[in-house]
C-alpha cells in the first residue's frame, strides 16, 4: 500500500510526458492531517539539485502538506533557472491543490519537491505543470502504488513498504537503482505515518533509521545530487508512540526499502552483505565495509564467482581502521578462506553460484560491527551505464 | 634498452615455470657499480606483501646490488612463511651471484625482492630458486628488454624507457595493468642510472618524480599490496648531476612509463587525462581529479562515448575541495559542455570516438592545477577481472 497505508494520506501517479513511451512520471503525496509534520535527510553531495535545495528549506520549517515528485529529469546542474522551475512547481502545486479543496489553503512553502533522472537538463515545465494538475485529480486513498511506480527511472520494479505500530503504521516508497552510495543510498524516498509525532521526533527517528539502512548501502560508490528521504506525519491515528517505537518502525521500513534497492541495482547479479566484526569502533567497521564494497576488483571477482579474498584484504589495507594485517580473518559464504591474514580453508569450498553473498571480515581489534550492502560489477552494469543518456 | 641502457647494469629475464605456458617469469637486475646507491617508494596499502616489507628494510640502508623480481605470484597475504620465502630468495640470489663472480661478495641485505601476481598464495620455491640461478647465467649488458618481459602479468606489452642527461642516462622498466591506483600507480618498476648519485639525492629525485607521475595514475581505484619503485645508481658515467637535472630525467622516465601503464590498462578502450585547473591548491586539484577518475558512472559513460558532464559534476561534488558548484566549468575534448555549473555548449559537438579523452575541470577557486590519468570502465575490464584467479 506504499505511502497511503497510514491514514491521512492520498497519493497519485500519472503520465505527464516527461518520460518517452507514456510511462507515469509525476507522483503526488498529500497529507490531509490533522498534523503536517515533516523531517528530511538529503544527499551530502555539494552539487545539489534545485529540488534538494528547495526542499531542505521547506523541511526546516517542520511543516509539509504535499510532496510532488517527478522522474524523467533530475533538475540538477541547471543553474538559477532550474531553481526557479522547482519554485514554480511548488507554487503551482500549492495553488492547484488549494483550488481543488479550499480547506487546504497551501502556499509554496508547504510543498516539497523531488526530481530524478538525467542531470544537467531543464525540466519541460509545459508538461510538468499540467501533469501536476492531472495528479491532483487522480489523488486517492489507495494511490500509493501508483505514486511508487511514477518515480521509477532505471528501477525494474516499484519499491514500497509498510511497517506497523500499535494502532498506527509507517508506509513508504523509494526509487533508486544506480548512483547508490552513502550520504544516503537512494535517490528518492517518501515515508508516511499516521502516528502523532512532531518534527523533532520525526527527525530523530529518521536520522537513526537512515544511518543504519540507506547510509549503509553502497552499490556503486557514486553519490547522487538528488537524494531525498522525507518522513511525513498526519497524526490521523491519534496514537503517540515514543521515540523508540517510532524509530523501530521507521527503521524497519527503511531497511526493507534499502534491501529492495540493492536487490534491483543496475545490472547486478549478486546482492552482497559485507559484515565487518571485531572492529575497534563502528566507524572503523563502516569504513572497512565501504572500502571493500567500492573495490572494483572485489566486485568483478564476485561477478565471476571467484572468492578472491586477496583482493578483499587489499581493500581493507587501504583504510585507516585499527587492525593488524596479520590478524584479519575473512569468510566468504561461511568458508573462512583467510585466517590471520593468510590462506586458510580451501577456496574451492566456497559456493558463489547463488545471488546472495555474505563476506564476513573479522578485524580482531574490538567488539564493534557494521554491515554494508553492495552488488557485484557486471557486464550489464557497464552496458546500462554506458548507454543511459544517449 | 630498459634498465640496461645506463652503464654498469646487467639484467636477464628467464622462465622458471611460475607462470603456466612457459612465459618468462623471473627477472634479475644487477648493479656492477662502482656505486650501489638505491632509493625506493612503496605502496601505502597497510596490507603489504612480504617482498615489500623486505625491500623497504633493504632500501633503508641505501645500498642495493641486485633486484630479483618474479611474476606469477605476489607473495602477499602469505604470513610469516611468505616472508621467509622472500628472505630465502634474497639469500639464495646473493649466494649464487657471489659464487658466479666472487668479487661481488653479496649478502641477502644487498638484494631487493619484488613479486607480482595472485595475492594469497605461496610461491613455488622449488621453481623460483632454480630460476634465479638460470637468470644469473643469463645476465647480460643488453638483458633489459628480457627483464621487462619477465615481469609482465596481465600487461599486453613490456614497458621500458630511457631518458638521457649529459653523459649519463636513466633507464627503466615497469609492469602494471590492473590495481592501478595511488600511493603509487604501478605494481613494479625498476629504474637505473649511471649518474653519480647517493641515496639521499636518489630519494629526493624519485619522490619528486613519482609524486607527479605514478601517483597521478588512477586507472581502477584499487591500490596494490606490492607496489615498488626502485631507483639504482651505478655511478659508472663518472658524471654527478645536480638534483634538478636528476629529478628532470627521472621524472621523464616515470612519466613515460606511467603513460604506458595507462595505455595498457586492463580492458580499457579510452586513455583519459583529467586536467583540473583553477584549484585553490594542488591537493584540491588532485582530490577532484581522483574523484572523477574513480567514478564508475563517469567511466562507463566514457566507454559509451557519452559526454555525461552531469556525472562529472556529481563526482566533483563529493570532494572537500574549495569550489562553488555554480561556478564550475567542464570541457570534454575541448567542448565546454558545462559553464557555471549548468549546460553550455551542445554535448553533441563532443567527439569521443577516439582513444584519447581530455576532461578539463575549471574550479574557479585559485591558480593551482593537476592532471590525473585514468581509463574507462569497459566490458573487457569486467571480463578480465572476473576471470583472473580462476
Amino acid at each position: 500500500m506504499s505511502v497511503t497505508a497510514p491514514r491521512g494520506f492520498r497519493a497519485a501517479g500519472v503520465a505527464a510526458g516527461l518520460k518517452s513511451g507514456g510511462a507515469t512520471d509525476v507522483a503526488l503525496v498529500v497529507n490531509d492531517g490533522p498534523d503536517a509534520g515533516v523531517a528530511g535527510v538529503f544527499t551530502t553531495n555539494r552539487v545539489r539539485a534545485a529540488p534538494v535545495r528547495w526542499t531542505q528549506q521547506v523541511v526546516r520549517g517542520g511543516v509539509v502538506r504535499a510532496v510532488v515528485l517527478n522522474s524523467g529529469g533530475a533538475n540538477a546542474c541547471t543553474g538559477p533557472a532550474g531553481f526557479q522551475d522547482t519554485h514554480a512547481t511548488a507554487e503551482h502545486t500549492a495553488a492547484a491543490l488549494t483550488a481543488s479543496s479550499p480547506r487546504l489553503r497551501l502556499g509554496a512553502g508547504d510543498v516539497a519537491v523531488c526530481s530524478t533522472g538525467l542531470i544537467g537538463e531543464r525540466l519541460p515545465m509545459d508538461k510538468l505543470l499540467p501533469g501536476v494538475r492531472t495528479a491532483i485529480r487522480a489523488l486517492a486513498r489507495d494511490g500509493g502504488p501508483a505514486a511508487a511506480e511514477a518515480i521509477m527511472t532505471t528501477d525494474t520494479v516499484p519499491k514500497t513498504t509498510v511497517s506497523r505500530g500499535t494502532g498506527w503504521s509507517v508506509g513508504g516508497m523509494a526509487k533508486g537503482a544506480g548512483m547508490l552510495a552513502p550520504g544516503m543510498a537512494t535517490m528518492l524516498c517518501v515515508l508516511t505515518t499516521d502516528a502523532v509525532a512532531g518534527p523533532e521526533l520525526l527527525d530523530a527517528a529518521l536520522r537513526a533509521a537512515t544511518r543504519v539502512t540507506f547510509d549503509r548501502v553502497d552499490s556503486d560508490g557514486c553519490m547522487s545530487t538528488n537524494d531525498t528521504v522525507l518522513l511525513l506525519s498526519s497524526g490521523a491515528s491519534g496514537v503517540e508512540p515514543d521515540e523508540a517505537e517510532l524509530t523501530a518502525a521507521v527503521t524497519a521500513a527503511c531497511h526493507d526499502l534499502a534491501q529492495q534497492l540493492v536487490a534491483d541495482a543496475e545490472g547486478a547479479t549478486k546482492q552482497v552483505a559485507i559484515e565487518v566484526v571485531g572492529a575497534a569502533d563502528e566507524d572503523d567497521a563502516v569504513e572497512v565495509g565501504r572500502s571493500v564494497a567500492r573495490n572494483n576488483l572485489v566486485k568483478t571477482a564476485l561477478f565471476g564467482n571467484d572468492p578472491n579474498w586477496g583482493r578483499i584484504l587489499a581493500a581493507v589495507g587501504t583504510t585507516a581502521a585499527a587492525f593488524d594485517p596479520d590478524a584479519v580473518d575473512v569468510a566468504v559464504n561461511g568458508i573462512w578462506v583467510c585466517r590471520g591474514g593468510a590462506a586458510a580453508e580451501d577456496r574451492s569450498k566456497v559456493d558463489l553460484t547463488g545471488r546472495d553473498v555474505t563476506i564476513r571480515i573479522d578485524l580482531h581489534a574490538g567488539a564493534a560491527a557494521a554491515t554494508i550492502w553492495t552488488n557485484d560489477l557486471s557486464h550489464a552494469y557497464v552496458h546500462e551505464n554506458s548507454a543511459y543518456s544517449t
Side-chain angles (χ1 to χ4, degrees), chain A:
Chain A
M1 278 280 280
S2 174
V3 289
T4 47
R7 281 156 287 185
F9 294 93
R10 287 176 297 153
V14 301
L18 305 176
K19 284 180 187 162
S20 58
T24 59
D25 46 24
V26 172
L28 184 62
V29 181
V30 173
N31 184 351
D32 289 317
D35 301 340
V38 69
V41 288
F42 302 90
T43 184
T44 55
N45 198 315
R46 291 169 60 202
V47 175
R48 291 171 300 148
V52 169
R53 286 183 281 160
W54 170 262
T55 301
Q56 283 179 316
Q57 286 178 29
V58 163
V59 164
R60 213 164 286 142
V63 171
V64 154
R65 297 225 165 252
V67 185
V68 58
L69 312 93
N70 74 274
S71 52
N75 197 5
C77 305
T78 45
F83 190 81
Q84 196 45 49
D85 290 341
T86 292
H87 185 209
T89 304
E91 268 190 330
H92 189 84
T93 305
L97 274 170
T98 303
S100 78
S101 171
R103 70 179 167 81
L104 284 172
R105 291 181 168 278
L106 303 191
D110 296 310
V111 180
V113 181
C114 303
S115 299
T116 180
L118 189 63
I119 300 172
E121 294 190 356
R122 295 278 301 277
L123 291 173
M125 296 299 285
D126 59 328
K127 294 177 178 170
L128 177 55
L129 298 186
V132 169
R133 296 193 294 272
T134 309
I136 290 171
R137 288 192 295 274
L139 280 170
R141 270 293 292 136
D142 61 356
E149 210 156 307
I151 60 175
M152 292 165 62
T153 52
T154 57
D155 308 68
T156 65
V157 289
K159 284 105 180 163
T160 66
T161 192
V162 179
S163 69
R164 303 205 177 275
T166 307
W168 55 278
S169 64
V170 173
M173 65 179 184
K175 68 79 49 185
M179 273 204 181
L180 289 184
M184 192 145 349
T186 179
M187 301 257 312
L188 304 179
C189 172
V190 178
L191 299 159
T192 55
T193 182
D194 51 6
V196 176
E200 283 181 25
L201 178 56
L202 293 174
D203 188 67
L206 185 60
R207 284 181 194 283
T210 55
R211 193 178 72 83
V212 295
T213 56
F214 294 126
D215 276 351
R216 298 217 174 147
V217 173
D218 196 327
S219 173
D220 64 0
C222 298
M223 190 193 290
S224 160
T225 51
N226 287 57
D227 295 332
T228 302
V229 179
L230 298 176
L231 172 58
L232 313 178
S233 66
S234 71
S237 71
V239 181
E240 195 170 347
D242 66 19
E243 184 175 330
E245 289 173 308
L246 185 64
T247 299
V250 175
T251 302
C254 290
H255 180 80
D256 184 25
L257 290 170
Q259 293 301 314
Q260 292 178 54
L261 295 174
V262 178
D264 195 29
E266 286 170 352
T269 74
K270 305 284 184 197
Q271 192 166 343
V272 186
I274 301 170
E275 303 173 353
V276 182
V277 301
D281 58 36
E282 194 176 315
D283 285 350
D284 273 10
V286 169
E287 184 189 356
V288 166
R290 210 179 279 303
S291 176
V292 174
R294 291 186 169 187
N295 189 284
N296 280 352
L297 291 173
V298 172
K299 293 162 89 79
T300 48
L302 292 172
F303 173 59
N305 293 343
D306 173 8
N308 196 321
W309 60 268
R311 293 179 180 177
I312 296 170
L313 240 64
V316 174
T318 65
T319 70
F323 74 92
D324 171 358
D326 293 325
V328 177
D329 300 339
V330 177
V332 180
N333 279 354
I335 307 296
W336 289 93
V337 286
C338 169
R339 292 260 190 208
E345 288 189 71
D346 188 344
R347 60 204 289 155
S348 70
K349 288 186 194 165
V350 180
D351 180 4
L352 279 170
T353 54
R355 187 175 172 90
D356 288 314
V357 177
T358 302
I359 294 172
R360 194 172 175 89
I361 300 165
D362 190 338
L363 297 176
H364 290 288
T371 299
I372 300 288
W373 291 277
T374 189
N375 299 101
D376 59 337
L377 175 54
S378 67
H379 285 301
Y381 177 91
V382 173
H383 176 75
E384 191 158 339
N385 286 298
S386 60
Y388 179 59
S389 81
T390 48

